Structure formats: C-alpha cells, structure tokens
Amino acid sequence: MDGLKIALQTVFETPAVFYAFAGVAWGIIGGALPGLSASITMALLLPFTFGMDPTMAIILLASTYVGAEYGGSIPAILIKTPGTSAAVTTVIDGYEMHKQGRSGEALGISLMAGVVGGLIGMILVVALTEPLSNVAFYFTAPAYFALGVFGLSLIATLSEGSLIKGFLAAIIGLAISTIGIDPLSGVQRFTFGSAELLGGIEPILVLIGMFAMAELFEQTSQPDWDKASHTMRIKLPNLKTWKRIWPATLIGTGIGTFDGVTPGGGATLASFLSYNEAKRWSKHPEEFGKGSPEGIAAPEAANNTVAATALIPTLTFGIPSSGSTAVLLGGLILHGLEPGPALLTKNPEFVYGLFGGLFVANLSQLVLGIVMLPPCIWLVNRPKAFLMAFIIALVSSGVYSVNQNIADVGIMVGMGVLGYVMRMFKFPILPLVLALVLGSIVERNYRRAVDLGYGEHSIFFTDPLSAVLLGLTVLFIAGSAYVTYARKQKAKAEADLSLSSAKT
C-alpha cells in the first residue's frame, strides 16, 4: 500500500503527468521518423534532462520509449518504411491494409494493441519488481562483481552473428570506462594530460554519440524516404475487429513479457516471434501477408509490452536488455541513481513514482496516438536534409548545455565517428554500451571483494550467490558459442549441398 500511495502522490502532486505526456508525444514523433529508433529518440532527449528531478527525468525518458514503439508503426503502415526496427514486422500486413484503403483501421489496431500490451506489461512490472529486489539482501561485493560479469556475458547474445566482434566491442567499452581518475587509488588513467578527461568520459556522451550521431551520419548517405498522404485518420477497432485480434494481442503480450525480462531480447525479436506465433494459432493464417489485422496486433502488442517489462532487469539487476534500456540506464546513472537489487530499498519513492508515471504514459498514448498523427505525417514529408541538420543542431546544443563545455561536443562527435566506423565493419554497438555501463561496477566491486578476501580470489567461489552467477556465466558463454558454431556448420553444410546440386 505504501507503494501505491507513493505512485498516486507522484501522479497528483508532481508534474509527472506533464512529463509522461511530453515523453509519449516526443516518442511518437521520433518513432515516426524513419531512422530514429526508440533508443536514438531517447538519447536525443537525455542531455535536456540534466538538472531535472530524477523521477521526472526518468519518467520522461521511459515515456519516450513507450511512445516511440507506437510511432514506429506510422511510417511502417503508410509508406512501407518502419520508423523503428521493432516495426519491421508491422510493415508486412500494415502496408497491405494501406494499399487496400484501410490505413485508418491499421493505425487504430496498432494503437489499441499497443496500449493493451503496455498496460498489461506495467501490471507485470509492478508485480515482479519488488520480489526480485528482495534478493538485494544477499548481494555482497563478490556477488555484485559476479552479476556484472554475468551481464557482460550477455554480449554473446548481442553480437549480431559474430562473437569475436562482440567481445572486441566490449573491450572498447571497458577501455572507455577506465578513462579518468582511479576511484580507489586516485591515479590518472589514459587522460594523456587532458584536464577534460580527468573526470572520465560520461556515459551520456557515448550513448548520444553511438546511437544518435552515428545514425545521423549513416542517414546522410541514404536516399530520402517516401512521402505520406495528409488525409489519413485513425479508426479504432470495433467489437467485431476486437474479437478477431484479441488472441493475437494476448500472444504478443505473452511473448513480449518473456522477451522483455530476458536480457538480450528486445522489441525486434519479440515482434518477429509474436507474428509467427499469431499466424500459427490464427483461424485465418492464409490472410497473413495480405492485410491481416492479427498481423499488426501481435507485433505491436509485443513491442509495447517489451517497453514495460524491459524495466524489470534494468531496474532490479542493472542489466539493459536493449539499446533503449541502455539509454535509460545511462539516464539513471546521470541522475545519481545506481540500478541494481538495492534500488527499490534505497529509492522506493523513485521506483514507485516511475511506475505511476508510466501508467499515465500508457493511457495517454491512446489520446496522443490520435492527436499526433497529423504532425508526424507533416514531419515525414519534410526534406530529409533539413530534418537531419535540425537534429544534429539539437543534439549538439543539448550536449553542450550539460556542462557548458565544448569538449563534450567534441567527445560526442568522436564517439559518433567511432560508432559509424563500427557500423561500416558490422561491429555491434550494444556490447560496447553494455560494457561501458557495467565496467565501473565490475571493477569497483572486484577490488572491494579482493580487499575483503585479503588478496585471495577464492572469495568469489566461497560466496554462494557469486559462485552461482559465475557458473551461469560460464554456461551462458559456452552455450552461446556452441549455438554459433552449430549455425555456422549448418550454413556450411547447406552451402555445400547447394553447390553439389548445382554441379549435378
């Protein structure tokens, strides 16, 4: 009951409602612009939260995540160009409905399925966060170190096909996290005599550079996207349509729940899985790919459920499950909140206040999804060069405003160039960000644990929770390596078979 009281006080006695509405509105706009994913839209906003109340700032960022997942479906349906990677599946049936003159119906299904999925996801977040946070009492320095190492092992699932490239990206992230003054000894590390690097490189600069600037650099080399008609209006599903899409919505919500709480999953994977399962269990599977309402409801429900349930590993264990939650994690650190098992016990007013704000955000999506459609269409129809220039100016001014230091802008641009080069050579970005966020946690707790063990590393194996987490890490990496090897062998066998068939 104390948690409910805190949530209600946050909603009715603070500007939380305003920030929830503003975040959803900005998220819908960012999601509707092709190329600006949910994580990039959040990263653009991150510097402007500096100096805000931590609860309001995170409500704003998390609400942006909620809005962006719906916004990505707007260009997916109208111009066959997904605004976010998670909306790729929505294109399949959404654009077919658009060609059939059912654009408003498709947009309405996307909106309502997303709202339902988001609300169910928030109920699950509230139900699961507190039980999981109770394990905080069992966490010691060795256990926190093992948790960080386990989080880093998720690089195996975030490596986008190349485990080696994933670990190399992680090493870069770990190296960046060591720049500055050693937190325990006070020794300068990798500052190269620069006063600007004494405080280290702030995660906010890396996040904005890697996600926003790198994407903007890439977008400048891409052709302009198609234009949308100004006459579109959302048509909410009627009772008959609801009866048809309800099972698909539940399937998407279920898969989104599982995928959200699983680090390394994310909305994109959830949308593909939910689409396949909705088709498998549909009474009309032959309509999928030809304008099926279920083909929109399932992935959209999954996307918005993930936006809620992904908060569970982020808040309770400090392990982001996607680029968007990595940006959210950066926001927590920026505002002096250390995510992890102790977050709820140390900052209950923040956690329950965030829950209250996100319930408002999911409800406001229903209204704003209708209201924001005309501005989104107007923005999509602007010349791409103007939009990119405006966003670059917005990012640069926002980064400068944090510390009023032009060096921060230079670091951010440098990180953007690094991110762009990594994309060119197909290096995954998320392992770098994950290693950057977890690097300081791993280093700090490793050294504390060794001190507690009087220099003996056996403390990591005598601590029960630490031993379990390290064991899971080994199994996780070994399993991922085996799966990667098996896939390569299968691909090689198929290639050999097709080659031999071609010869005969």
Side-chain angles (χ1 to χ4, degrees):
M1 293 302 293
D2 289 339
L4 178 60
K5 182 180 178 181
I6 294 172
L8 292 175
Q9 286 177 340
T10 302
V11 170
F12 292 108
E13 298 179 9
T14 70
V17 172
F18 168 77
Y19 287 114
F21 270 76
V24 172
W26 172 247
I28 292 174
I29 290 173
L33 291 173
L36 296 187
S37 64
S39 56
I40 296 170
T41 306
M42 295 167 68
L44 292 173
L45 199 61
L46 196 54
F48 297 99
T49 66
F50 186 76
M52 289 174 54
D53 175 80
T55 305
M56 299 302 108
I58 304 305
I59 286 175
L60 181 64
L61 290 171
S63 299
T64 300
Y65 187 12
V66 172
E69 291 301 340
Y70 164 68
S73 69
I74 295 175
I77 292 170
L78 299 183
I79 60 175
K80 202 179 181 180
T81 305
T84 62
S85 58
V88 171
T89 319
T90 308
V91 170
I92 301 172
D93 287 280
Y95 189 67
E96 286 298 320
M97 291 182 71
H98 167 68
K99 291 196 299 183
Q100 297 167 13
R102 301 159 62 195
S103 309
E105 182 184 351
L107 290 167
I109 291 170
S110 170
L111 177 59
M112 289 304 300
V115 170
V116 171
L119 288 174
I120 294 175
M122 276 309 305
I123 293 171
L124 292 170
V125 169
V126 174
L128 295 176
T129 299
E130 184 170 357
L132 287 173
S133 66
N134 288 333
V135 302
F137 300 107
Y138 302 99
F139 271 80
T140 58
Y144 270 110
F145 165 78
L147 178 62
V149 172
F150 177 69
L152 291 174
S153 73
L154 298 174
I155 291 166
T157 64
L158 303 175
S159 298
E160 300 172 8
S162 175
L163 196 60
I164 295 176
K165 288 184 177 180
F167 277 109
L168 287 175
I171 290 171
I172 296 173
L174 289 171
I176 294 173
S177 71
T178 62
I179 294 174
I181 297 177
D182 188 300
L184 297 182
S185 68
V187 175
Q188 294 184 27
R189 303 185 299 189
F190 309 114
T191 60
F192 305 102
S194 173
E196 285 80 9
L197 295 177
L198 287 175
I201 294 181
E202 297 184 35
I204 180 177
L205 304 179
V206 180
L207 290 167
I208 295 173
M210 286 288 172
F211 286 111
M213 288 302 296
E215 181 64 32
L216 292 172
F217 291 155
E218 188 169 334
Q219 283 292 320
T220 56
S221 62
Q222 301 294 329
D224 199 358
W225 49 74
D226 294 330
K227 305 304 179 185
S229 171
H230 289 278
T231 61
M232 299 300 167
R233 295 292 183 271
I234 290 180
K235 179 183 177 182
L236 297 179
N238 54 31
L239 184 60
K240 181 181 178 181
T241 305
W242 259 120
K243 288 182 178 179
R244 177 169 179 181
I245 67 173
W246 186 247
T249 303
L250 290 180
I251 288 173
T253 301
I255 292 176
T257 299
F258 178 78
D259 220 62
V261 300
T262 305
T268 305
L269 177 60
S271 66
F272 277 104
L273 292 175
S274 60
Y275 184 88
N276 289 334
E277 291 306 309
K279 182 178 180 180
R280 184 198 306 271
W281 296 99
S282 173
K283 295 180 179 179
H284 308 280
E286 71 282 354
E287 294 185 16
F288 277 70
K290 301 176 183 178
S292 170
E294 299 162 89
I296 299 175
E300 288 301 310
N303 296 347
N304 284 264
T305 304
V306 168
T309 54
L311 292 173
I312 296 173
T314 304
L315 295 177
T316 55
F317 297 112
I319 299 176
S321 60
S322 63
S324 302
T325 49
V327 175
L328 194 64
L329 198 64
L332 290 169
I333 296 171
L334 176 67
H335 290 278
L337 296 165
E338 185 168 335
L343 181 64
L344 186 60
T345 56
K346 290 182 179 179
N347 305 99
E349 69 288 344
F350 161 74
V351 176
Y352 290 114
L354 174 61
F355 292 165
L358 283 178
F359 268 111
V360 174
N362 279 279
L363 291 172
S364 68
Q365 186 180 357
L366 182 59
V367 177
L368 291 173
I370 298 173
V371 174
M372 296 300 298
L373 181 62
C376 287
I377 293 177
W378 183 85
L379 280 171
V380 169
N381 289 334
R382 295 310 92 200
K384 183 179 179 181
F386 294 170
L387 284 174
M388 295 299 107
F390 170 74
I391 294 171
I392 288 175
L394 182 69
V395 172
S396 300
S397 60
V399 167
Y400 178 78
S401 68
V402 174
N403 297 314
Q404 288 79 48
N405 187 354
I406 195 65
D408 288 350
V409 179
I411 293 172
M412 180 265 296
V413 173
M415 290 297 158
V417 173
L418 175 61
Y420 180 68
V421 172
M422 289 177 65
R423 290 183 182 209
M424 285 179 57
F425 291 98
K426 300 189 183 304
F427 278 78
I429 300 295
L430 199 51
L432 185 151
V433 176
L434 185 63
L436 172 70
V437 172
L438 295 177
S440 60
I441 298 174
V442 171
E443 180 190 13
R444 187 170 64 251
N445 286 287
Y446 167 77
R447 294 169 71 175
R448 285 177 181 172
V450 171
D451 288 342
L452 288 171
Y454 301 101
E456 295 292 334
H457 287 77
S458 58
I459 190 172
F460 295 109
F461 304 101
T462 55
D463 183 288
L465 190 52
S466 172
V468 170
L469 288 170
L470 290 175
L472 289 174
T473 300
V474 173
L475 291 175
F476 198 88
I477 294 176
S480 298
Y482 174 76
V483 170
T484 302
Y485 174 77
R487 286 176 179 172
K488 288 183 177 180
Q489 291 297 108
K490 183 179 179 181
K492 182 180 178 181
E494 290 176 350
D496 292 341
L497 181 63
S498 60
L499 182 63
S500 61
S501 298
K503 289 180 178 179
T504 56

